[in-house]
Amino acid sequence: MKHFLGKLRTDPAWLTLCVAALIIMAVFLLWPLSTVFHYSFIDEAGNFSLTGYQRFFTEYEYRNSLGNTLILGFWVTFFSLVLGTSLALVVSRLDFKMATAVSILPLITLVVPDVVVAAAWILLLGKQGIFTGWLAIIGIEVPSLYSWWGMIFVMTLNTYVYAFVIMLGAFKLMDRTLEEAGQGLGRPLRRVIMGITLPLMIPSLLSATLIVFTHVIGSFGIPAILGTRQQVLAVKAYNEFVSEMGGNPQMQTTMATILIALGLLVLIAQKIWVEKKQVQMESGHSPLKLKLTGWQRFLADGFITTVIVLSMLPAVVVLITAFTPSVGPVLHYGSFTINNIKYALLRAPEPLYNSLFLASMATVAGVVFSIICAYLIVKRKCWLTSALDVIVMLPLTIAGTVLGIALINTFNTGPIILTGTWIIMSLAYFLRRTPLSTRAAIGPLHNLKDSVEEASISLGIPSIRTFFKVVLPVMLPSITSAAVLMWVTSLSELSATIVLYYGGMSTMPIEIFQQVDSGRLSIASAYSVLLLLCIFVPLIIASKVFKVKLA
């Protein structure tokens, strides 16, 4: 037992915290997931049955939703990797003037809700869209945005940033002597990048693939709005949940189980491949940036400018549309009104308060939990903390709608009843955002030598006090950044909220989704502007006043 507990065996305080963290995740994550799995084998009569899985794999609408999910996941992941990797390569290897603008792309893309992004592109490329009208004047007909190309296009612009952030870090950490050796043998830069650089990036590419693919297959907002003809599993499971609220939950839990299995398969495959492709390089030899001239600089600047414009268009479009008069779904651009903002302000206080309250509660709990988990995983290694590491990262592979269904099925009856309370909504936000904040907290701990902490303890200072005096200050910058991003991304959460919210607890993303769904895009834009203000004003304050590094 002592061998398996590692350093925890001599530290009762941290052992207690580790056990408490495992109990929390077991009760609020593993138990709901096991409940979903259990209900997928229970028929209407309460008997064990494989009917759910038989229906899923024999009935066209269910098989088609799985096929659509895989198709969407594959193509969005492919294009996101191409775009994100290309942008990361350009930014890490070239010296250009727009470095500051590129650095805020992750911030803009991550915090703008996907339902706002979908609404913006409908305003641009929908049937009555701005670009659609302009192109029609010159005889170019834009295909319907409510199609495969529309979903893939919009979701790629909404997810490429995950690949960009991961690959940018990998390119910056690469040992430049490897590339210089290739060029020294007479190979042109293009062949060096294709033959040396990119193969060394395979572990990072696989990590980016996991993040993007799991995000796409679990996405709800964009597929629900643009994919009415090509339903994916996350949307289909929600529709089944709504239609079966008073009946047999077998089909909704069957689809939820398949979505969970799909995410886990990708995670396992990624881990196996990463272990095979690990390459160690010397640090401290980052590649030097090249200065381009002539047509090469023109192409690089054009590529970067295009990506920046496409990424920022949604926020700009909703801002303009929020002040545009409308009659039903028809927008009158060129005119100005504040009626949309007035309407949103009159209706928004309660949803806005709910969003702020839920996000704040989830962030406080999530940050405290993440700090404890990060310290245990890095500094108190043993089989218990290894298990905690795996369990904490599990929500990354679970769709928001699936998590919502799991929580409702588990906490609707029994010893713990949370359904119909704000706690279950905040709990969903906590579970979905904790993996990223934990990973942010883990980073600086790897750079803190054990001898520093041990020296404090040897002077008679208890381990918990040592943690607050020595370890926490090292973690604080990363934790602060993670807390801010956890808070703003919780504000924009839709996929779990759409399942869990109830009368009186509607949130801003729910209000926006309902307005978009009913074709009231000007009102949806007004709600979006209020939500974006609530997101970006605190971000600016955190960045300028408290010097929090966000990008």
Side-chain angles (χ1 to χ4, degrees):
M1 179 60 72
K2 289 183 177 181
H3 173 72
F4 288 119
L5 289 179
K7 293 182 179 180
L8 286 178
R9 73 181 187 273
T10 59
D11 202 330
W14 284 108
L15 177 58
T16 302
L17 288 173
C18 182
V19 172
L22 285 168
I23 291 173
I24 289 171
M25 296 305 289
V27 172
F28 296 112
L29 180 64
L30 298 184
W31 181 21
L33 294 183
S34 64
T35 301
V36 166
F37 183 70
H38 169 73
Y39 277 133
S40 69
F41 292 100
I42 304 299
D43 62 16
E44 288 187 53
N47 300 319
F48 177 85
S49 172
L50 294 173
T51 305
Y53 292 96
Q54 289 173 347
R55 284 186 62 189
F56 185 88
F57 289 107
T58 56
E59 295 185 17
Y60 173 77
E61 61 175 326
Y62 294 116
R63 285 188 289 110
N64 190 52
S65 66
L66 175 59
N68 290 340
T69 301
L70 295 174
I71 292 171
L72 184 65
F74 173 81
W75 285 112
V76 174
T77 301
F78 173 77
F79 287 120
S80 295
L81 290 176
V82 171
L83 181 58
T85 302
S86 300
L87 185 63
L89 185 61
V90 170
V91 171
S92 63
R93 293 294 189 271
L94 303 181
D95 185 13
F96 60 99
K97 297 179 180 179
M98 293 182 289
T100 303
V102 173
S103 69
I104 66 172
L105 281 181
L107 186 59
I108 296 289
T109 309
L110 287 175
V111 302
V112 176
D114 56 356
V115 66
V116 174
V117 174
W121 284 106
I122 289 172
L123 292 166
L124 290 169
L125 293 172
K127 293 179 180 178
Q128 307 296 327
I130 302 171
F131 290 172
T132 304
W134 291 348
L135 292 172
I137 295 174
I138 58 176
I140 299 176
E141 184 178 350
V142 178
S144 174
L145 193 67
Y146 302 90
S147 60
W148 277 116
W149 88 265
M151 278 199 298
I152 293 171
F153 174 74
V154 174
M155 291 194 74
T156 296
L157 291 176
N158 201 46
T159 56
Y160 80 88
V161 69
Y162 294 104
F164 167 66
V165 170
I166 293 172
M167 296 308 298
L168 180 61
F171 281 129
K172 285 184 175 180
L173 291 174
M174 182 180 171
D175 183 5
R176 70 168 180 265
T177 58
L178 298 174
E179 291 182 345
E180 291 172 352
Q183 289 179 289
L185 295 174
R187 290 188 177 185
L189 181 60
R190 177 181 59 83
R191 289 189 62 189
V192 169
I193 291 175
M194 296 301 296
I196 297 176
T197 307
L198 291 181
L200 291 173
M201 296 296 106
I202 287 179
S204 297
L205 275 171
L206 292 172
S207 297
T209 300
L210 169 68
I211 298 296
V212 174
F213 185 81
T214 53
H215 178 80
V216 172
I217 65 174
S219 181
F220 177 84
I222 294 175
I225 294 172
L226 300 181
T228 52
R229 300 173 187 173
Q230 299 87 17
Q231 274 201 347
V232 296
L233 269 177
V235 177
K236 183 67 176 171
Y238 167 74
N239 292 337
E240 204 77 24
F241 168 79
V242 172
S243 65
E244 293 188 3
M245 281 288 286
N248 174 29
Q250 189 172 28
M251 285 313 300
Q252 51 167 289
T253 52
T254 297
M255 286 186 286
T257 300
I258 290 173
L259 258 179
I260 294 170
L262 193 58
L264 288 175
L265 283 174
V266 175
L267 175 61
I268 293 169
Q270 183 258 358
K271 282 186 173 294
I272 292 172
W273 274 93
V274 165
E275 289 177 0
K276 290 182 178 179
K277 300 292 183 179
Q278 285 286 1
V279 178
Q280 293 185 342
M281 293 178 284
E282 291 290 334
S283 59
H285 299 89
S286 299
L288 300 175
K289 290 192 174 185
L290 303 175
K291 286 188 176 182
L292 297 182
T293 57
W295 66 270
Q296 291 178 324
R297 180 176 179 179
F298 176 78
L299 287 178
D301 287 344
F303 170 67
I304 293 169
T305 302
T306 301
V307 174
I308 291 174
V309 169
L310 290 176
S311 298
M312 294 189 172
L313 263 180
V316 174
V317 169
V318 296
L319 178 62
I320 295 171
T321 307
F323 296 95
T324 299
S326 64
V327 179
V330 180
L331 297 161
H332 299 282
Y333 287 105
S335 303
F336 178 85
T337 183
I338 60 172
N339 290 336
N340 299 327
I341 298 293
K342 285 182 177 179
Y343 179 91
L345 283 173
L346 290 174
R347 300 294 184 94
E350 189 174 4
L352 181 57
Y353 166 78
N354 291 338
S355 292
L356 294 171
F357 173 72
L358 293 171
S360 299
M361 296 301 293
T363 299
V364 171
V367 168
V368 173
F369 188 79
S370 297
I371 292 172
I372 294 171
C373 289
Y375 179 81
L376 287 167
I377 291 167
V378 177
K379 296 300 183 179
R380 294 290 185 269
K381 291 182 179 179
C382 67
W383 69 275
L384 279 178
T385 57
S386 296
L388 180 63
D389 189 15
V390 173
I391 296 171
V392 165
M393 298 309 295
L394 190 58
L396 278 180
T397 66
I398 302 170
T401 50
V402 170
L403 182 61
I405 290 171
L407 292 174
I408 282 185
N409 279 313
T410 304
F411 301 116
N412 195 39
T413 58
I416 305 175
I417 299 178
L418 300 178
T419 302
T421 69
W422 65 266
I423 297 175
I424 198 170
M425 298 176 67
S426 189
L427 175 62
Y429 297 175
F430 163 83
L431 292 171
R432 281 178 56 75
R433 306 303 175 194
T434 294
L436 296 180
S437 57
T438 301
R439 277 293 170 264
I442 281 176
L445 285 175
H446 285 297
N447 298 323
L448 179 65
K449 291 184 177 179
D450 293 342
S451 57
V452 176
E453 189 180 359
E454 290 167 356
S456 175
I457 294 174
S458 67
L459 294 174
I461 301 175
S463 60
I464 294 295
R465 285 185 60 193
T466 295
F467 171 79
F468 282 103
K469 288 181 172 292
V470 176
V471 180
L472 193 58
V474 175
M475 302 171 64
L476 197 58
S478 295
I479 284 294
T480 306
S481 299
V484 173
L485 289 176
M486 184 177 183
W487 185 72
V488 298
T489 52
S490 294
L491 276 178
S492 62
E493 173 64 37
L494 174 66
S495 58
T497 312
I498 197 73
V499 175
L500 296 170
Y501 89 100
Y502 55 95
M505 281 304 292
S506 177
T507 62
M508 290 295 281
I510 292 291
E511 293 293 323
I512 296 168
F513 176 78
Q514 291 175 341
Q515 295 296 336
V516 172
D517 195 45
S518 62
R520 305 178 68 185
L521 295 177
S522 58
I523 301 299
S525 297
Y527 275 113
S528 301
V529 168
L530 294 181
L531 180 58
L532 292 176
L533 283 175
C534 290
I535 289 173
F536 282 105
V537 169
L539 286 179
I540 293 171
I541 294 174
S543 177
K544 300 298 182 182
V545 177
F546 298 104
K547 307 301 180 183
V548 176
K549 187 177 180 180
L550 301 169

